[in-house]
Amino acid sequence: MQVTATDSTLLARLGVALGLVLATSCSKQEVDVGEDVLQGGECDLHGSAEDPEARVCAEGLVCEPLAGRESYVCGPPVLIRGQIFDALEGFPLAGAYVTALDHTGAPQSDVAVTDITGSYELAVSALRTADGELLDDAIYTLQVFAADYQPFPYGVRPALPINTAEAFVETDTIVDDETEEAREVKYLVVENPTTSVAMLLLPEAERGGATIFGAVGGEFPGGTLVVAEGGAEPAPYGIADLSGKYVIFNVQPGSVSVVGYRYGLELESATVAVSGGQYDDVDLVAIAEGEPNLGRVEGTISIVNAPGGSATSVVLVPTSVFNPVFELGPVPFGLREPEPGEPFNVTSGYTIEGVPAGTYKVLAAFENDLLVRDPDFSIGGTDLQEVTVGRGEVVGVDENFKITEALEIFSPGAEVPEHVAGAPTFIFADDSSENFYYLTVYDALGRLTWEDPMVPRVTGSPTVEVPYGGEALLPGMYYQFRVTSWKDGNPEPSPISRTEDLRGVFIAD
């Protein structure tokens, strides 16, 4: 396929640095000593030991992109190790599928499947210096899927950053079978609490069903959100790894349409009559690639009653995976303004390019930017927006989103999920113009755990404190508290602000 659409933009969105193409780590190579390439040597990304002209990395090294050049260099592998386990019972999960994503959300590994102890090991790709070492500290997050379990991350559960600055060195000795010459190799390994994931069991009605395996076509298939649509919503989904392979668990019986969503890639859907068991080779064929051949979504926002200079982002979420309780869902790779990994910069107009055909919820101020979509239903521009994009179609969002300052959360979960023992006290910023607050607590499965619809206003304090008053929390379960401030009105009260979508998350101990 010839990439014809604004090539520089496409490559940038793929996590490419300085004109480099996104690269897969080379696997260990079996080559003769003397012909292989040692650390710091230039290598051929797809070189084969069977080709005498190929520059192949020595065993124990991987071929990685060299920063600032359109070439590759041999260097030590970067490995992420961890364990996947049941959040409530603590037992290990075998057969879970684990992938590493970079800071843009693009996959930087193929899939690792956990063993009987729940353990996995991922080799991840990273930019290198001329001597084969890491260019900078790389940041990754994990994506995990398992039969009968909620995907991770999902809903209120964020994926915590994994930093290669925390890597330690492991060494090994390799002996050539023919020459008996020994050589020491090293591995950069990250293994800490952020590399292990506790998975939450789905409600009984959503467990079981079939498993669908397949591959996504196209030049850049990695990161494609693949959804089994046609049954219950939110629908089960998977995300394609670096090679384009995907798996979808827990697909309930019935006819489903397997659909792929990704920036710059239009895919032919596949229909599967599901009755249980396993379905292999459900591949999605690319039918269009590049921005000019796909759709575009345009709209505007207005930021009011917010800190000066505030900016936000806008994302698209397919309606089939949208969770109406939390008003969020997985964002297909690249369907964001600004581009993935870029800081918030939307202050008025926005354009999301490279949109495949489908129906989407348009979410503004969805990420943690100290802003929220204005909840005041008494004015325009505050409703959730939905758009349907035809193949290659340009679509405008009907309403101008109104964005306002969020109620700041102080505890628990101001920045990352916090462990809480016993009954928590919820602390958030006072809204000076409110008459009362409505506080809700949901578990990670979207079940309402407790609510207080009439938290009184406070005076003389910058914060509001509300003790939890519900039933005992379930150890190991993730929860989120949300608060909306209300003002009295005529004929009825109306909401004026609320806490951010992704904060206020805590784990019961």
Side-chain angles (χ1 to χ4, degrees):
M1 191 277 299
Q2 194 76 25
V3 179
T4 58
T6 55
D7 292 353
S8 61
T9 301
L10 178 59
L11 294 178
R13 294 192 181 194
L14 288 168
V16 179
L18 302 176
L20 294 174
V21 179
L22 181 68
T24 306
S25 297
C26 293
S27 58
K28 294 181 180 180
Q29 306 291 337
E30 298 292 341
V31 297
D32 295 332
V33 174
E35 296 182 1
D36 52 15
V37 180
L38 299 179
Q39 181 170 338
E42 187 173 337
C43 56
D44 295 327
L45 179 60
H46 301 297
S48 169
E50 298 175 357
D51 181 357
E53 301 298 323
R55 297 164 297 183
V56 181
C57 291
E59 184 180 2
L61 298 173
V62 290
C63 190
E64 294 281 61
L66 177 59
R69 302 181 190 175
E70 295 185 16
S71 57
Y72 300 85
V73 64
C74 294
V78 179
L79 306 176
I80 297 176
R81 292 179 187 154
Q83 186 187 48
I84 311 301
F85 57 94
D86 182 278
L88 304 187
E89 302 296 335
F91 56 79
L93 292 182
Y97 282 59
V98 188
T99 308
L101 313 178
D102 68 13
H103 73 287
T104 72
Q108 291 296 324
S109 76
D110 290 332
V111 164
V113 182
T114 56
D115 62 19
I116 195 170
T117 69
S119 300
Y120 72 90
E121 180 179 282
L122 282 173
V124 295
S125 182
L127 288 173
R128 304 300 177 115
T129 61
D131 61 0
E133 298 294 345
L134 292 177
L135 174 65
D136 291 305
D137 295 336
I139 304 296
Y140 303 92
T141 57
L142 296 179
Q143 176 81 58
V144 187
F145 295 93
D148 296 337
Y149 284 82
Q150 188 184 78
F152 174 86
Y154 182 81
V156 302
R157 296 191 62 195
L160 299 180
I162 298 170
N163 194 331
T164 56
E166 301 175 7
F168 57 89
V169 176
E170 280 190 359
T171 60
D172 194 7
T173 300
I174 295 177
V175 179
D176 183 79
D177 291 337
E178 295 182 3
T179 66
E180 297 185 353
E181 181 177 330
R183 177 169 55 86
E184 186 178 82
V185 296
K186 72 174 183 179
Y187 305 89
L188 303 176
V189 181
V190 184
E191 185 174 14
N192 57 41
T194 66
T195 66
S196 290
V197 176
M199 302 289 284
L200 290 169
L201 196 65
L202 287 167
E204 188 172 354
E206 299 176 31
R207 299 177 210 161
T211 302
I212 297 176
F213 291 90
V216 175
E219 186 77 8
F220 301 110
T224 300
L225 176 70
V226 187
V227 188
E229 299 181 346
E233 294 187 357
Y237 66 88
I239 294 180
D241 68 8
L242 193 56
S243 69
K245 295 178 181 178
Y246 75 88
V247 59
I248 307 176
F249 291 108
N250 311 308
V251 182
Q252 301 305 311
S255 178
V256 299
S257 182
V258 181
V259 184
Y261 299 92
R262 189 196 190 285
Y263 161 81
L265 181 60
E266 190 81 58
L267 297 161
E268 191 73 56
S269 62
T271 300
V272 181
V274 174
S275 60
Q278 179 173 311
Y279 296 81
D280 297 320
D281 302 324
V282 182
D283 298 337
L284 304 183
V285 177
I287 53 178
E289 297 183 74
E291 285 183 1
N293 303 313
L294 275 85
R296 185 167 77 242
V297 173
E298 302 173 337
T300 58
I301 66 166
S302 295
I303 299 178
V304 296
N305 191 28
S310 294
T312 188
S313 60
V314 181
V315 300
L316 302 181
V317 175
T319 56
S320 59
V321 291
F322 181 74
N323 187 316
V325 174
F326 297 119
E327 295 187 351
L328 49 77
V331 178
F333 177 71
L335 300 191
R336 177 185 188 261
E337 175 67 19
E339 295 176 1
E342 294 296 317
F344 311 119
N345 66 5
V346 179
T347 58
S348 55
Y350 62 88
T351 300
I352 301 177
E353 304 274 5
V355 181
T359 300
Y360 302 88
K361 296 291 185 182
V362 186
L363 304 182
F366 165 69
E367 298 165 311
N368 288 333
D369 53 11
L370 304 179
L371 300 171
V372 292
R373 177 174 53 86
D374 195 321
D376 190 347
F377 50 73
S378 67
I379 60 176
T382 60
D383 293 332
L384 281 171
Q385 295 297 302
E386 183 174 296
V387 295
T388 297
V389 181
R391 188 174 300 172
E393 185 179 7
V394 178
V395 177
V397 179
D398 290 338
E399 290 199 34
N400 170 35
F401 276 117
K402 289 185 172 59
I403 307 300
T404 190
E405 184 175 9
L407 291 177
E408 185 177 359
I409 284 178
F410 292 99
S411 180
E415 297 295 336
V416 297
E418 295 180 32
H419 286 268
V420 172
T425 295
F426 306 115
I427 306 174
F428 54 92
D430 179 42
D431 188 340
S432 59
S433 57
E434 94 295 352
N435 294 106
F436 64 95
Y437 299 93
Y438 194 142
L439 187 151
T440 57
V441 179
Y442 285 90
D443 69 14
L445 301 178
R447 300 176 297 202
L448 180 64
T449 302
W450 182 67
E451 62 182 338
D452 187 340
M454 195 59 67
V455 176
R457 66 178 303 181
V458 301
T459 56
S461 173
T463 62
V464 182
E465 298 189 13
V466 182
Y468 175 70
E471 297 181 354
L473 299 172
L474 187 62
M477 176 58 75
Y478 282 68
Y479 296 87
Q480 183 189 41
F481 82 95
R482 293 187 168 197
V483 182
T484 303
S485 58
W486 289 71
K487 65 180 179 181
D488 291 335
N490 186 11
E492 59 184 9
S494 59
I496 51 178
S497 188
R498 57 191 175 93
T499 51
E500 289 192 84
D501 297 292
L502 303 178
R503 298 191 191 273
V505 179
F506 60 98
I507 309 139
D509 285 341

